[in-house]
Amino acid sequence: MNQDHALSTLGQTPFVRRRTATAVRLVISLAVTSQWASARAQTTPEDTVLPVVRAAAQAERDKYAVKRTMGATKTELAVLDAPQTITVVTEALIKDLAMQSMADVTRYVPGIGMANGEGNRDSPVFRGSNSASGDFYIDGVRDDVEYYRDLYNVERVEALPGPNAMIFGRGGSGGVINRVTKQADWRKVRAFDLTLGSNQNRRLVADLGQALSDAAAVRVTGMVEDSGGYQRNFSLKRSGVNPTVALHPSRDTTVVLGLEHLEDRRTTDRGVPSLQGRPVDLPVDAFFGDANPDSRPTRLISNALSATLEHDLGSGVHVSNKTRYTDYDKFYQNYNAGAVNVATKQVPISAYNNHQWRKNLFNQTDLTFDIASGSIKHRILAGVELGLQDTDYLRMTGKFANATVTSVNVPLAAPDGPLPVTYVLGGSSSDRDGQSKAKIAGIYMQDQLELSPQWQLIAGLRYDSFKLRYRNHVATGILAPTPSAPAELSSNDHLVSPRVGILFKPEAALSLYANYSVASFPRGGDQLSSLSNVNKGLKPEKFINYEVGGKWEIKPELLATLAIYRLNRTNVAVPNAVTGIVDQLVDGQRTKGVEVGISGDVTRNWHIHGGFAYQDAKLTAKASATALAGATVQNVPKHTLSLWNRYDLTPSLGGGLGLIHRGDSYTSTANAVTLPAYTRIDAALFMALSANYKVQLNVENLTDKKYYALANGDNNITPGSPRAFRASLHGSF
């Protein structure tokens, strides 16, 4: 079944309803905001002044170390003074390593890895909290649909391991990843990056910014890519454009309006199965299923509108309001290999497709102000977040052999022949034709106290009301409700997320801290589709984190960090020993770990970024017949190490060398299949042709090491890329 046929079939389903009223209201609202801001800008009050371009902020963009961030507290704070782990991957590091994906980013973040994601999405693993697809944010606002995120419009990526629900809301159980985007800021920007490389890698990124007047500025970032890959018949075509407009209606007010359109079309590849406890040893381009790329498409179309209002009320009082509306359309179709039959040397192949439409609307209002109580200084944050998420789902199972069976056996020696398949609804218990609506209302307060020049305290509390309604549509050809899957389900969770951190600075360049935080994960799951008649009344899963650590500015542009933590996962649902129904809650998992990081300038010419993590993630209760107490959590190696070095030999010539090591890990909690350890070496050469033009050559996997990079169960294992080259031209004028 080709993509066009699959999509036309989806279009015929009676349930595909587009909820346009909310979108229309939001567009009108943003339009009114834009017209109001433009009118204010045209009047140009006498006290309007040209915004000051922060030279320090621009200087930081050219380095690996970041001095200040807002990601951890929603208020500007020195990274040294944040009582938790923060790893920032800057635009300079992204360019030096020729990063093009979130998997590239997380390789250099201690404590965070990636799973296979079924070949269609980013799937990070935070401190043993496995495969969280919903813990992504963009400029602090939730971005939780399953897809591959691009870096074309990113100024930096902030990774915050550990529960962060006090700032980010539900989820964030093991950590979050927040992308900070490039926005209009009155700087003149004229830049482009052209990349050509192995496997027909072809990519162009452009960044243009301009001040129109003292009261208005624009910026447009864009990207187009048409690439192949090292996997069989793989192709990637994606494009994105993100214009922003910044306005100064008055001296104390800034409005930023943004629009992003992103398309990503690629072929789906779930990797290879295992044999006798290891990945099947085959060429890296081996494919299991029909290798025709038209039979296994992944497609995302995303449109987002954003509006940010910042206003200084005077006397240290500041208000910020963010609104973001995103319309996602995500479809993927894939083949899935099963366990190899050792006797017959055959592999069962199954298939399914999944279509998800989601509309997210979030609004955040934050009020910050400073007060003093004797010698104690307070910075107070009070905020409200409102959200609405409407999602339609359609999952259908593939049937083979004239639509009579849900799997077929193929020879291990030739697993990629033609496989005619018909997709039907009701072919498996996982199929669904549903709709969910989530309503979120959160309120939070935080106090940052400077108790003395040496002691600081951060304490915060958040409350979220999370209401979820899920509906199965009943019509001809659609699964009828049963006692275990009623037509309509609902849940109403009340989530409380405290956070307390204390920090001691024995000297200005050194800080020691202790941190306690809690996050909750509702039963609806990352994608709001996991509610059942059994779990709807169960308490949300809870993640409790205890962390101590230290940060040391070895020199002003070089920061070293250390964190020691324990993360407990409670309210885990396990089978009832008598009935077998998964309705018993236990303390089900514990992760203990150590994370070490370093980033910045060792010397004027030597720049480094990297980290080491030790993680011991175990189940503490029996979760199923194959997930026993004491088992190691999947996709969590005990030891990981990454270190990137760039050394500039002259002002116009430099080189880079990086090392990535990941220890053994298991592909599932059955602990029957091992993902082998590997060490990979990357290298780069940098050359300035002139003041405005630079070229670089990146070599990934310099020694052409064969390794397995990702897993999503015992039979979805992705081989790593063989040696690959990327040549880039960077221009600015």
Side-chain angles (χ1 to χ4, degrees), residues 83 451 455-458 500-504 512-516 549:
L451 304 174
W455 289 94
Q456 299 177 26
L457 175 70
I458 295 179
V500 178
I502 189 165
L503 183 135
F504 173 62
L512 306 173
Y513 69 86
N515 186 60
Y516 168 83

Side-chain angles (χ1 to χ4, degrees), residues 99-172:
M99 293 179 178
Q100 296 183 359
S101 69
M102 296 306 299
D104 292 336
V105 170
T106 56
R107 288 189 187 102
Y108 285 90
V109 180
I112 301 180
M114 277 284 179
N116 170 286
E118 296 182 306
N120 70 77
R121 64 184 182 271
D122 293 320
S123 187
V125 181
F126 301 93
R127 288 185 173 177
S129 179
N130 195 57
S131 301
S133 62
D135 291 329
F136 285 97
Y137 294 79
I138 184 164
D139 296 320
V141 182
R142 188 176 294 272
D143 173 43
D144 57 0
V145 164
E146 298 177 324
Y147 70 101
Y148 286 112
R149 288 150 182 85
D150 200 275
L151 303 172
Y152 78 97
N153 61 342
V154 169
E155 184 174 287
R156 66 183 183 274
V157 179
E158 300 173 335
L160 295 90
N164 283 273
M166 194 269 129
I167 293 297
F168 292 96
R170 79 174 194 272

Side-chain angles (χ1 to χ4, degrees), residues 127-365:
R127 288 185 173 177
S129 179
N130 195 57
S131 301
S133 62
D135 291 329
F136 285 97
Y137 294 79
I138 184 164
D139 296 320
V141 182
R142 188 176 294 272
D143 173 43
D144 57 0
V145 164
E146 298 177 324
Y147 70 101
Y148 286 112
R149 288 150 182 85
D150 200 275
L151 303 172
Y152 78 97
N153 61 342
V154 169
E155 184 174 287
R156 66 183 183 274
V157 179
E158 300 173 335
L160 295 90
N164 283 273
M166 194 269 129
I167 293 297
F168 292 96
R170 79 174 194 272
S173 50
V176 301
I177 295 176
N178 180 47
R179 289 171 293 151
V180 179
T181 62
K182 300 174 182 177
Q183 297 182 351
D185 58 3
W186 280 268
R187 291 186 302 118
K188 181 179 179 180
V189 181
R190 303 284 189 275
F192 72 88
D193 302 287
L194 173 65
T195 301
L196 303 173
S198 301
N199 306 308
Q200 298 182 316
N201 186 202
R202 296 167 292 191
R203 178 180 171 91
L204 176 64
V205 177
D207 185 6
L208 305 173
Q210 179 70 49
L212 302 179
S213 68
D214 290 359
V218 297
R219 188 170 185 177
V220 180
T221 54
M223 168 274 301
V224 62
E225 181 172 353
D226 185 354
S227 298
Y230 65 93
Q231 296 166 296
R232 181 72 57 87
N233 294 339
F234 180 85
S235 68
L236 167 61
K237 299 181 187 295
R238 58 182 167 185
S239 60
V241 61
N242 183 196
T244 58
V245 178
L247 306 167
H248 260 314
S250 70
R251 178 193 297 272
D252 300 319
T253 305
T254 302
V255 177
V256 179
L257 305 176
L259 166 69
E260 184 186 15
H261 175 77
L262 177 67
E263 295 192 20
D264 187 304
R265 302 172 189 270
R266 64 180 72 205
T267 44
T268 312
D269 191 328
R270 295 184 64 164
V272 302
S274 62
L275 179 63
Q276 297 176 339
R278 311 283 283 188
V280 173
D281 186 11
L282 291 171
V284 294
D285 66 345
F287 181 76
F288 285 74
D290 193 329
N292 182 351
D294 292 337
S295 69
R296 48 189 180 103
T298 291
R299 185 208 68 203
L300 170 86
I301 301 175
S302 172
N303 293 289
L305 295 170
S306 61
T308 301
L309 171 67
E310 305 277 351
H311 183 66
D312 188 349
L313 297 171
S315 301
V317 182
H318 184 85
V319 64
S320 171
N321 180 271
K322 292 182 179 180
T323 300
R324 185 174 178 88
Y325 169 81
T326 311
D327 188 338
Y328 305 91
D329 182 344
K330 165 72 184 298
F331 173 82
Y332 67 93
Q333 189 162 282
N334 66 150
Y335 296 93
N336 181 30
V340 176
N341 186 317
V342 178
T344 64
K345 299 298 184 192
Q346 289 190 320
V347 181
I349 301 293
S350 58
Y352 74 93
N353 63 30
N354 190 304
H355 206 153
Q356 181 183 104
W357 300 266
R358 175 170 293 167
K359 290 181 170 66
N360 278 358
L361 175 60
F362 287 97
N363 180 271
Q364 299 176 358
T365 302

Side-chain angles (χ1 to χ4, degrees), residues 687-702:
M687 182 180 295
L689 304 178
S690 68
N692 296 327
Y693 294 96
K694 302 175 183 178
V695 294
Q696 72 182 67
L697 175 66
N698 290 82
V699 186
E700 178 181 317
N701 193 3
L702 181 66

Side-chain angles (χ1 to χ4, degrees), residues 342-546:
V342 178
T344 64
K345 299 298 184 192
Q346 289 190 320
V347 181
I349 301 293
S350 58
Y352 74 93
N353 63 30
N354 190 304
H355 206 153
Q356 181 183 104
W357 300 266
R358 175 170 293 167
K359 290 181 170 66
N360 278 358
L361 175 60
F362 287 97
N363 180 271
Q364 299 176 358
T365 302
D366 296 318
L367 178 68
T368 59
F369 54 93
D370 298 331
I371 59 176
S373 176
S375 61
I376 300 176
K377 299 177 182 178
H378 301 260
R379 172 156 291 178
I380 307 295
L381 165 72
V384 175
E385 180 176 31
L386 302 175
L388 179 65
Q389 298 183 268
D390 282 0
T391 311
D392 286 334
Y393 315 87
L394 182 62
R395 185 197 189 277
M396 298 192 292
T397 295
K399 286 201 169 185
F400 304 88
N402 297 319
T404 59
V405 294
T406 57
S407 69
V408 294
N409 292 318
V410 300
L412 179 60
D416 58 353
L419 286 178
V421 59
T422 301
Y423 290 90
V424 299
L425 187 63
S428 86
S429 59
S430 297
D431 286 357
R432 62 182 182 272
D433 176 0
Q435 180 186 41
S436 73
K437 175 172 288 193
K439 296 181 180 180
I440 303 100
I443 184 169
Y444 45 91
M445 180 168 285
Q446 174 183 270
D447 189 1
Q448 295 172 241
L449 299 90
E450 184 179 317
L451 304 174
S452 72
Q454 287 78 39
W455 289 94
Q456 299 177 26
L457 175 70
I458 295 179
L461 184 66
R462 178 174 180 133
Y463 166 78
D464 285 284
S465 169
F466 179 74
K467 298 180 180 180
L468 178 64
R469 188 176 73 231
Y470 179 79
R471 182 181 180 85
N472 280 341
H473 300 287
V474 181
T476 303
I478 297 177
L479 291 175
T482 66
S484 61
E488 188 163 340
L489 299 166
S490 63
S491 64
N492 187 3
D493 292 314
H494 304 278
L495 312 177
V496 178
S497 306
R499 179 255 186 97
V500 178
I502 189 165
L503 183 135
F504 173 62
K505 299 185 73 173
E507 56 182 79
L510 177 65
S511 62
L512 306 173
Y513 69 86
N515 186 60
Y516 168 83
S517 59
V518 176
S520 298
F521 191 75
R523 295 294 167 182
D526 271 336
Q527 298 307 312
L528 311 177
S529 61
S530 300
L531 205 62
S532 71
N533 194 44
V534 174
N535 69 20
K536 66 177 183 178
L538 300 181
K539 294 180 180 179
E541 286 192 0
K542 184 177 291 187
F543 294 78
I544 305 171
N545 191 68
Y546 304 90

Side-chain angles (χ1 to χ4, degrees), residues 16 40 49 54 65 325 338 410 440 542-543 577 664 669 690 710:
V16 179
R40 292 289 304 269
V49 296
R54 294 181 296 171
Y325 169 81
V410 300
I440 303 100
K542 184 177 291 187
F543 294 78
D664 288 341
T669 49
S690 68
L710 309 168

